[in-house]
Amino acid sequence: MNDQGLPSVITIDGPAASGKSTLGALLARHLGYTYFDTGVLYRALTYLVLQRGIALDDVAAMVRLAHDVDLQVLPATVDDGRQYTVLADGEDITRQLRSQEVERHVSIVSAYPEVRTALRDQQRRIGLQGRVVMVGRDIGSVVMPDADFKIFLLASPEERARRRYNELRAQGQEVSYESVYRDLQRRDALDRHNTLQPADAYVVHTDGLTPTEVVSTLLAMLEQRARTLR
Ligand code: DC
């Protein structure tokens, strides 16, 4: 909590394509906070596992790698539409994190409890710096259970598929709505055990709402909360 009654750490969890990244980035910008998309750590590790030819069932090697590699998430260093820059041992791997290969394997890597424990400490280290909006799957429940403002986003499978489909088409990718919908169902099944709704989170249903509308709601909730704490 800071002197204006604003929380030091805000967590936003929810399933794939529930709007976490868009809303997290917008909210952070409004508050002047750091935006930290924790999924990039799982994506970075997955990229390195594939690049180094580590077998997808070699958990010990993955955990070693997670401990040994220096992962940094910095404000964007290149003006190509990115929200941040990710370095692995000093090398910029930001663009590789959204590749099909990483997309296809990240749920497998992130399902191992040992991998999650290894990356949890890296996430905490960044979160404890404060004035941060952390976005992920288990941030409010496992990574930062003491965070003072937690949000859990929900949206229907159809709405989430529509959002992801529009996003991919806007990037020029030739995908069908049906394949995007199926991919999301698959991702949901794989991520199910690690997408955790904290008991003390504000649950926000985002169907039919624009990001600006949801952010306005969240800012109003923060304001209301700050007033009661003053
Ligand atoms: O949010 P995303 O699509 O970038 O997440 C990529 C993968 O990482 C996804 O399979 C879920 C996983 N993840 C996780 O298990 N815990 C987090 N805190 C963030 C992401």
Side-chain angles (χ1 to χ4, degrees):
M1 200 80 55
N2 69 15
D3 46 11
Q4 287 149 4
L6 282 174
S8 161
V9 178
I10 297 174
T11 65
I12 304 183
D13 292 301
S18 56
K20 301 185 300 286
S21 316
T22 308
L23 295 169
L26 270 175
L27 189 61
R29 180 142 26 98
H30 269 281
L31 297 171
Y33 278 29
T34 302
Y35 166 59
F36 177 26
D37 175 3
T38 61
V40 300
L41 295 187
Y42 290 95
R43 287 174 180 270
L45 186 66
T46 304
Y47 168 71
L48 295 169
V49 163
L50 296 170
Q51 188 205 34
R52 295 179 188 196
I54 294 173
L56 286 164
D57 59 359
D58 191 347
V59 187
M62 290 184 202
V63 169
R64 253 194 323 274
L65 179 58
H67 284 301
D68 290 349
V69 68
D70 176 24
L71 292 176
Q72 303 225 32
V73 185
L74 309 172
T77 54
V78 180
D79 188 15
D80 62 357
R82 63 176 64 179
Q83 290 172 313
Y84 38 70
T85 288
V86 181
L87 302 181
D89 290 333
E91 185 199 344
D92 185 348
I93 57 165
T94 317
R95 287 175 61 83
Q96 289 89 317
L97 302 184
R98 304 280 152 190
S99 73
Q100 290 280 349
E101 275 297 279
V102 169
E103 200 71 54
R104 214 168 292 137
H105 295 100
V106 64
S107 296
I108 301 170
V109 173
S110 62
Y112 292 113
E114 298 87 340
V115 167
R116 304 192 69 78
T117 304
L119 290 183
R120 186 185 308 159
D121 296 340
Q122 303 232 25
Q123 296 172 69
R124 271 191 192 145
R125 182 173 46 79
I126 298 174
L128 290 173
Q129 292 168 7
R131 292 180 62 87
V132 61
V133 177
M134 291 178 75
V135 165
R137 297 293 199 292
D138 59 350
I139 309 303
S141 49
V142 176
V143 178
M144 304 296 285
D146 296 333
D148 25 35
F149 194 76
K150 302 178 184 176
I151 299 156
F152 193 82
L153 293 179
L154 288 176
S156 66
E158 292 75 19
E159 171 98 15
R160 290 161 49 216
R162 212 164 21 244
R163 286 179 192 159
R164 182 54 57 88
Y165 170 76
N166 289 336
E167 207 173 277
L168 294 172
R169 296 294 283 209
Q171 291 166 12
Q173 296 199 33
E174 290 289 322
V175 289
S176 69
Y177 172 82
E178 288 69 28
S179 71
V180 172
Y181 185 89
R182 270 198 311 275
D183 269 2
L184 269 182
Q185 297 282 304
R186 192 184 131 263
R187 283 277 296 275
D188 279 357
L190 289 166
D191 294 340
R192 200 176 55 236
H193 298 298
N194 298 316
T195 306
L196 305 172
Q197 182 178 324
D200 52 351
Y202 292 98
V203 179
V204 182
H205 293 263
T206 65
D207 274 23
L209 298 175
T210 63
T212 313
E213 285 169 333
V214 180
V215 166
S216 299
T217 307
L218 296 177
L219 289 171
M221 283 159 75
L222 280 166
E223 176 55 32
Q224 162 85 31
R225 185 174 169 283
R227 258 203 306 273
T228 59
L229 292 170
R230 264 180 219 137

